[in-house]
């Protein structure tokens, strides 16, 4: 077949985004424009040549012979290859699904992040409802109800984010002490059984989404409780760094050999036990980077404060307190 022999009705094949190769008796009869770009050969040069000389992959040659479908990874791209055939002729259709696979991966990542964020308010609501089962002074029960309503509102905002995608955060100016108080209330049921104490540094005015800031702080303190010894004192230090405010959660846990890898998705520290998604510190860094800050951890080998593990982040400061 030559270029001149291609009739007008054949031109539609060149408009297809998929690469299409037609063959008969093991020889190429037609390539469309996308296939020419994929394999770097023109229709004129490909016509009449053995399939293997054009596609240069035995896996594709075998697929054409038997029919069916497979996926190939080629130069960082994901290609879905499908062959339909009859007694004498075959058609190979190659579709680049790289972007589709990337979107699937992003969706899985987003789902993992959201499920992790849902866990904290759901746990808090469970504790509130369990507490309200018992008789208690009216003032105390009203405090539990207010806490439950606050966490319900946070759940509602998470549901809204899930419905419309990740939107810009709802930042406002607030004192760090406001978030510290919320975190201490939520963590009380975990601190008491472990005999651990929680202390906070000087207050500062910051600019952040209150719920996102609470999520960051809870993740870091919960990690300190989970991986540190019972009865430890967990200290949350604060300091002004120019126009930024630095917050560090210090614990007495064992030395961590590779702190930076802990901030990667689905990564847990060496020796971590129990259930865990490995998303906590990844979420911390993602949230902090969202407001332009940094998140890091210092190794417990002399570079950390007083030999403790220090998990730190920065957020925009506002002149005033501190």
């Amino acid at each position: 077949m030559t270029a001149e022999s291609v009739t007008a009705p054949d031109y539609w094949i060149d408009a297809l985004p998929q690469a299409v190769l037609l063959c008969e008796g093991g020889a190429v009869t037609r390539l469309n424009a996308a296939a020419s770009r994929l394999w770097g050969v023109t229709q004129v040069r490909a016509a009449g040549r053995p399939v293997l000389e054009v596609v240069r992959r035995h896996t594709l040659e075998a697929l054409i012979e038997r029919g069916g479908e497979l996926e190939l990874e080629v130069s960082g791209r994901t290609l879905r290859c499908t062959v339909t055939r009859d007694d004498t002729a075959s058609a190979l259709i190659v579709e680049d699904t790289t972007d589709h696979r990337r979107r699937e991966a992003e969706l899985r990542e987003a789902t993992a992040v959201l499920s992790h964020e849902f866990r904290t308010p759901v746990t808090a609501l469970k504790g509130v409802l369990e507490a309200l089962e018992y008789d208690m002074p009216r003032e105390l029960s009203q405090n539990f109800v207010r806490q439950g309503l606050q966490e319900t509102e946070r759940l509602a905002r998470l549901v809204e984010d899930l419905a419309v995608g990740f939107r810009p955060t709802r930042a406002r100016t607030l004192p760090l002490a406001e978030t510290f108080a919320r975190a201490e209330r939520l963590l009380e049921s975990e601190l008491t059984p472990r005999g651990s104490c929680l202390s906070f540094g000087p207050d500062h005015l910051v600019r952040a989404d209150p719920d996102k800031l609470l999520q960051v702080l809870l993740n870091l303190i919960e990690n300190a409780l989970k991986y540190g010894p019972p009865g430890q004192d967990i200290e949350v230090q604060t300091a002004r760094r120019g126009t930024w405010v630095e917050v560090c959660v210090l614990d007495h846990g064992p030395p961590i050999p590779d702190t930076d890898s802990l901030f990667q998705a689905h990564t847990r520290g060496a020796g971590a036990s129990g259930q865990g998604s490995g998303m906590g510190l990844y979420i911390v860094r993602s949230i902090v980077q969202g407001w332009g800050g940094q998140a890091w951890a210092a190794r417990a080998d002399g570079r950390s404060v007083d030999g403790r593990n220090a998990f730190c982040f920065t957020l925009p400061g506002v002149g005033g307190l501190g």
Side-chain angles (χ1 to χ4, degrees), residues 109 113 116 215-217 219-221 223 227 247-249 251 256-270 277-289 291 293-299 309-314:
E109 203 69 70
V113 168
H116 192 284
Q215 187 72 39
V216 168
L217 196 62
N219 280 350
L220 296 182
I221 297 175
N223 277 353
Y227 300 115
V247 180
C248 290
V249 176
D251 66 64
I256 301 172
D258 184 6
T259 55
D260 194 63
S261 66
L262 294 178
F263 289 89
Q264 298 173 4
H266 305 295
T267 300
R268 303 182 69 200
S277 64
M279 293 295 294
L281 291 179
Y282 171 80
I283 291 172
V284 165
R285 178 168 283 180
S286 298
I287 292 174
V288 171
Q289 288 177 342
W291 60 53
Q294 295 180 322
W296 72 94
R299 300 177 191 273
N309 295 320
F311 288 84
C312 310
F313 65 94
T314 57

Side-chain angles (χ1 to χ4, degrees), residues 194-217:
R194 290 179 169 86
S196 296
C197 296
L198 187 59
S199 63
F200 299 95
D203 195 11
H204 296 272
L205 281 177
V206 296
R207 182 76 179 174
D209 181 316
D211 291 335
K212 296 297 184 184
L213 177 56
L214 178 64
Q215 187 72 39
V216 168
L217 196 62

Side-chain angles (χ1 to χ4, degrees), residues 112-126:
V113 168
L114 283 169
S115 66
H116 192 284
E117 290 201 5
F118 270 104
R119 186 174 62 188
T120 298
V122 167
T123 301
L125 280 173
K126 182 174 182 289

Side-chain angles (χ1 to χ4, degrees), residues 12 23 83 114 122 144 174 177 192 209 259 263 296 303:
W12 65 268
C23 61
V83 171
L114 283 169
V122 167
F144 276 113
L174 73 155
T192 303
D209 181 316
T259 55
F263 289 89
W296 72 94
R303 288 191 295 163

Side-chain angles (χ1 to χ4, degrees), residues 86-106:
D86 56 23
D87 293 338
T88 58
S90 301
L92 169 63
I93 303 171
V94 180
E95 182 179 7
D96 189 335
T97 60
T98 306
D99 291 340
H100 177 70
R101 294 297 184 206
R102 176 181 54 79
R103 287 191 294 271
E104 284 185 338
E106 289 174 350

Side-chain angles (χ1 to χ4, degrees), residues 131-150:
L132 290 173
E133 285 184 322
Y134 301 95
D135 291 332
M136 62 182 72
R138 179 176 175 77
E139 183 178 351
L140 183 58
S141 66
Q142 286 179 333
N143 286 336
F144 276 113
V145 170
R146 281 194 294 270
Q147 181 179 332
L149 289 173
Q150 188 178 56

Side-chain angles (χ1 to χ4, degrees), residues 149-165:
L149 289 173
Q150 188 178 56
E151 294 308 317
T152 301
E153 290 173 0
R154 187 147 72 105
L155 274 174
R157 287 192 287 273
L158 286 172
V159 170
E160 187 178 356
D161 285 343
L162 178 62
V164 299

